[in-house]
Amino acid sequence: MILLNELSHAPLYEQIVIYVKKQIKEGILTPGDRLLSVREMANTLNINPNTVNRAYKILEKEEFIVIIHGKGTFIKNKSATETTEFKKKELKLALELLLLDIHYQNISKEETMDWMNSFYQRVGDDS
């Protein structure tokens, strides 16, 4: 059961995305598992269906789930979500561009590291 934190700085859709990714990482959700429909999830969480739809679209774009219209939303096969070398290079470049922007905004390395640590604590991987 997803517990959304209304007081969190993270938007509700982002909390749903993080929750599903954690469930996959921990093996609670496995390839082929069906997620609740957008409407079912929205009713369960008592939120707007557009919020759930936005989360599902992000998860689909990042290839964690597959949406089969008329059938449902399913966890994608793990082999399809493994990070390729190309994707790693793409992510590294995006991170470098972000870090360059942070550097030019005179944000300290310590503050940047605090942001990263806070993020990993939120997603449950603060190792």
Side-chain angles (χ1 to χ4, degrees):
M1 174 66 169
I2 299 176
L3 295 177
L4 299 178
N5 182 352
E6 299 279 339
L7 302 176
S8 173
H9 293 294
L12 296 177
Y13 74 88
E14 186 178 301
Q15 292 180 48
I16 295 169
V17 169
I18 290 169
Y19 175 81
V20 171
K21 287 180 178 180
K22 278 180 71 172
Q23 296 287 297
I24 293 169
K25 182 178 180 186
E26 294 171 3
I28 297 166
L29 290 173
T30 58
D33 285 352
R34 185 182 179 280
L35 294 179
L36 294 175
S37 71
V38 169
R39 184 174 291 129
E40 291 168 333
M41 179 76 76
N43 287 338
T44 300
L45 299 174
N46 198 28
I47 61 175
N48 189 307
N50 291 332
T51 303
V52 177
N53 191 50
R54 186 171 183 185
Y56 279 14
K57 290 296 181 192
I58 290 169
L59 289 164
E60 182 180 38
K61 181 179 178 196
E62 293 179 357
E63 298 186 353
F64 284 93
I65 64 172
V66 60
I67 300 171
I68 303 172
H69 297 286
K71 299 288 184 191
T73 301
F74 302 90
I75 302 300
K76 203 164 185 181
N77 188 328
K78 283 185 181 181
S79 63
T81 61
E82 289 177 2
T83 306
T84 64
E85 286 304 312
F86 176 79
K87 185 65 175 177
K88 284 183 183 179
K89 287 178 183 176
E90 186 179 71
L91 290 169
K92 183 179 177 189
L93 177 60
L95 179 59
E96 287 175 351
L97 290 171
L98 178 60
L99 290 171
L100 187 61
D101 192 23
I102 289 170
H103 173 74
Y104 283 117
Q105 296 299 320
N106 294 317
I107 298 169
S108 70
K109 178 181 176 182
E110 292 75 23
E111 187 172 1
T112 303
M113 295 303 289
D114 286 344
W115 293 349
M116 289 178 57
N117 289 331
S118 173
F119 168 79
Y120 281 110
Q121 284 175 348
R122 273 197 340 262
V123 298
D125 188 10
D126 56 355
S127 53

